[in-house]
Amino acid sequence: MTQIAAIIGGGVIGGGWAARFALSGWNVTIFDPDPEAARKIDAVMANARRSLPALSDVALPPEGQVKIVPTLAEAVANADWIQESAPERLEMKHRILNEIQTHCRKDALIGSSTSGFKPSELQQGALRPEQIFVAHPFNPVYLLPLIELVGDDQTTARAHAILTEIGMKPLKVRKEIDAHIADRFLEAVWREALWLVKDGIATTQEIDDAIRYGFGLRWGQMGLFETYRVAGGEAGMAHFIAQFGPCLQWPWTKLMDVPELTDELVHTIASQSDAQSGSHSIRELERIRDDNLVSMMRSLKGRNWGAGALLNEHDARLCAGHEPDFTKPFISVDRSIPVDWSDYNGHMNESRYGQVWSDAADAVMRMIGADADYIAAGLSYFTVDTHTKFMNECHVGEHITVETQILEGAGKKLQLFHEMKNASGALVASCTQLLIHVSLETRKSCDPGPQIVTKLAAIMAAQAALSQNEAI
């Protein structure tokens, strides 16, 4: 039997909850008096349908039904999970929660998306206080997995199981406190950022750059304490605190109320940090950290965003101004194999060979003048055929080069032959690749521009003495 989630408040957070549940196979009922609610929910659902399935390598459950209903009572009547996502006004939440409990099942879970209120505050005057708990998400709810759970142990245990089932990361807060855990960090950083702007120390962009090009990348995959444990080197967290702990008493920030670093507190933090890291040595943690950072930043490269845009700019500088010798097979790719290209066999996945050939063809296109400006003007080349032969394995960190020869470059056709070699010069794989010149407007083949014809003729003349590799 399909489970039902009721969403009270269909804004950014409520809409995100609706999408997460629906794309996890739940039916969803939504109550929101906003006349624009349907349009807003549709927009959130469209984004979620595009994004959430991309996180999985297997099919998601069939999407549940999403229905906007006219009354709160109708929304919650048969719900298994009820998520209140109203504005952060305690009196409003009390009124809504009271109405929810009047009409919902006694065994329904009632979570609140509140960023700051404690469960004891939300439960004031409630019919069944233990039924109400904090389930604080992060935007976008359909992608970011963390949910902070605060409330009755039995109730939050049930919530924990459901959230885990739909792919989220529930974090049980041990004791209730204003703003829970994550928002207390965000509040501290936000407060300091406002001071930096007010005092003329940095602009908002400079502050954002400090985060997205620096510690934000480390925090995104290793958190706070494990990052600092690695920074402590082989001596670990205790050494880090000994080195940098006194700085907390210096007037660096506007946040000067810090705990005294007693031996007991240092021991507690250090022992918890050691336990958190499990059996990994500091060297292993450094390798894990580096591999994670490479994968994260390479992902950002694909979107040309933040640190990824910076890497793309650096790549462009590194390869600028290198005109190859066309009288012999020329280097079209020269790089190391990243960690995210490996598979369960411990070597480069076969799909990534296609990436290498694609990168090689892109390099050839730039060499003959079919560069970004040419493509922006509406002309390009499409690959229509490739044949690959595999000779040797290729592993993470291994350096490769691709030597390319142009077999044909007349009219609409561009036929290439690639040989991938490792650092010792051994042949790893080869590929014949046929590209056709196209109009991006008509999406049909057409003759290339005169500058391309001229450049290709010159390269073909330079390569005329080379032996012709036959297509597979």
Side-chain angles (χ1 to χ4, degrees):
M1 182 176 178
T2 302
Q3 293 179 289
I4 298 173
I7 309 301
I8 309 304
V12 172
I13 297 299
W17 274 110
R20 171 68 79 160
F21 275 113
L23 292 177
S24 298
W26 287 50
N27 287 338
V28 177
T29 57
I30 303 170
F31 171 72
D32 190 322
D34 182 0
E36 294 290 308
R39 178 186 60 80
K40 294 176 181 178
I41 292 294
D42 285 346
V44 174
M45 289 297 302
N47 284 342
R49 291 188 186 106
R50 179 181 180 275
S51 301
L52 182 59
L55 294 178
S56 296
D57 295 320
V58 296
L60 296 179
E63 182 177 323
Q65 181 185 24
V66 178
K67 181 181 180 182
I68 297 178
V69 296
T71 66
L72 184 149
E74 184 177 349
V76 305
N78 298 307
D80 301 284
W81 181 298
I82 301 163
Q83 189 69 24
E84 172 271 308
S85 299
E88 290 287 275
R89 295 198 290 273
L90 189 57
E91 289 185 2
M92 177 185 291
K93 288 184 180 292
H94 282 161
R95 176 169 42 82
I96 291 172
L97 290 169
N98 181 267
E99 187 175 357
I100 288 172
Q101 288 196 312
T102 300
H103 299 285
C104 76
R105 297 187 339 229
K106 292 182 179 180
D107 64 341
L109 292 166
I110 304 176
S112 172
S113 298
T114 180
S115 297
F117 293 125
K118 301 187 291 288
S120 59
E121 294 172 312
L122 297 173
Q123 294 166 355
Q124 292 170 2
L127 298 175
R128 297 175 295 275
E130 70 285 348
Q131 189 178 21
I132 298 169
F133 62 98
V134 169
H136 175 233
F138 294 83
N139 185 45
V141 185
Y142 54 80
L143 286 183
L144 295 184
L146 181 65
I147 302 293
E148 294 178 314
L149 292 178
V150 198
D152 176 78
D153 286 344
Q154 290 185 344
T155 303
T156 54
R158 291 173 55 208
H160 191 288
I162 289 175
L163 292 169
T164 300
E165 184 180 330
I166 64 173
M168 308 194 83
K169 173 63 178 177
L171 175 64
K172 178 63 188 298
V173 180
R174 294 172 180 270
K175 298 179 180 180
E176 68 169 30
I177 187 173
D178 293 329
H180 325 311
I181 296 175
D183 275 0
R184 295 180 73 86
F185 289 119
L186 296 176
E187 173 66 18
V189 173
W190 175 245
R191 187 185 299 116
E192 186 61 27
L194 293 177
W195 277 112
L196 290 171
V197 173
K198 181 179 183 300
D199 292 344
I201 306 299
T203 66
T204 58
Q205 179 173 328
E206 289 163 350
I207 291 170
D208 285 348
D209 285 348
I211 296 171
R212 60 188 165 208
Y213 297 128
F215 65 87
L217 289 168
R218 298 187 306 188
W219 282 9
Q221 51 83 40
M222 196 164 275
L224 178 65
F225 283 102
E226 197 150 58
T227 292
Y228 286 157
R229 182 178 185 275
V230 173
E234 294 182 356
M237 178 62 83
H239 175 71
F240 174 83
I241 293 177
Q243 291 289 100
F244 296 98
C247 302
L248 296 176
Q249 299 297 332
W250 298 350
W252 280 1
T253 72
K254 304 291 185 179
L255 309 173
M256 298 304 298
D257 185 15
V258 298
E260 180 182 358
L261 293 172
T262 63
D263 290 343
E264 180 182 1
L265 180 56
V266 170
H267 173 74
T268 298
I269 295 174
S271 61
Q272 289 179 357
S273 176
D274 289 341
Q276 173 185 335
S277 298
S279 59
H280 295 298
S281 69
I282 193 68
R283 298 283 85 87
E284 289 170 336
L285 285 173
E286 288 174 344
R287 178 64 63 87
I288 291 169
R289 175 200 62 193
D290 292 349
D291 286 349
N292 287 342
L293 288 173
V294 167
S295 297
M296 291 167 65
M297 288 189 282
R298 282 187 53 74
S299 177
L300 289 171
K301 285 184 74 175
R303 305 306 305 158
N304 198 39
W305 191 264
L310 186 68
L311 291 170
N312 284 330
E313 292 168 4
H314 187 54
D315 283 356
R317 286 192 296 268
L318 290 174
C319 67
H322 299 300
E323 179 72 12
D325 180 1
F326 290 116
T327 63
K328 57 185 179 181
F330 52 88
I331 302 298
S332 55
V333 173
D334 185 3
R335 59 163 307 146
S336 295
I337 304 303
V339 65
D340 58 327
W341 283 20
S342 66
D343 64 14
Y344 50 82
N345 288 320
H347 59 201
M348 189 167 94
N349 184 267
E350 63 183 351
S351 66
R352 296 300 184 174
Y353 287 80
Q355 177 72 57
V356 171
W357 309 138
S358 178
D359 290 346
D362 286 348
V364 173
M365 287 174 59
R366 290 191 295 271
M367 291 175 190
I368 65 177
D371 55 14
D373 291 338
Y374 186 80
I375 294 169
L379 298 172
S380 187
Y381 280 91
F382 285 2
T383 298
V384 295
D385 191 53
T386 61
H387 293 274
T388 297
K389 288 183 177 179
F390 303 95
M391 289 78 166
N392 281 298
E393 291 183 299
C394 197
H395 300 95
V396 170
E398 193 168 1
H399 193 88
I400 62 161
T401 56
V402 174
E403 296 180 359
T404 296
Q405 181 180 345
I406 299 179
L407 302 180
E408 183 178 4
K412 304 172 184 177
K413 293 183 178 181
L414 178 61
Q415 188 175 32
L416 310 175
F417 179 78
H418 309 293
E419 288 187 329
M420 183 194 306
K421 298 181 179 180
N422 60 25
S424 65
L427 186 61
V428 176
S430 66
C431 174
T432 54
Q433 182 179 27
L434 178 63
L435 299 91
I436 298 296
H437 191 271
V438 299
S439 163
L440 293 176
E441 180 178 357
T442 66
R443 317 303 285 187
K444 295 181 179 180
S445 63
C446 67
D447 290 326
Q451 70 274 35
I452 305 297
V453 174
T454 300
K455 184 66 174 181
L456 272 173
I459 295 175
M460 291 298 296
Q463 296 205 328
L466 296 176
S467 62
Q468 290 290 300
N469 293 281
E470 294 182 357
I472 298 174

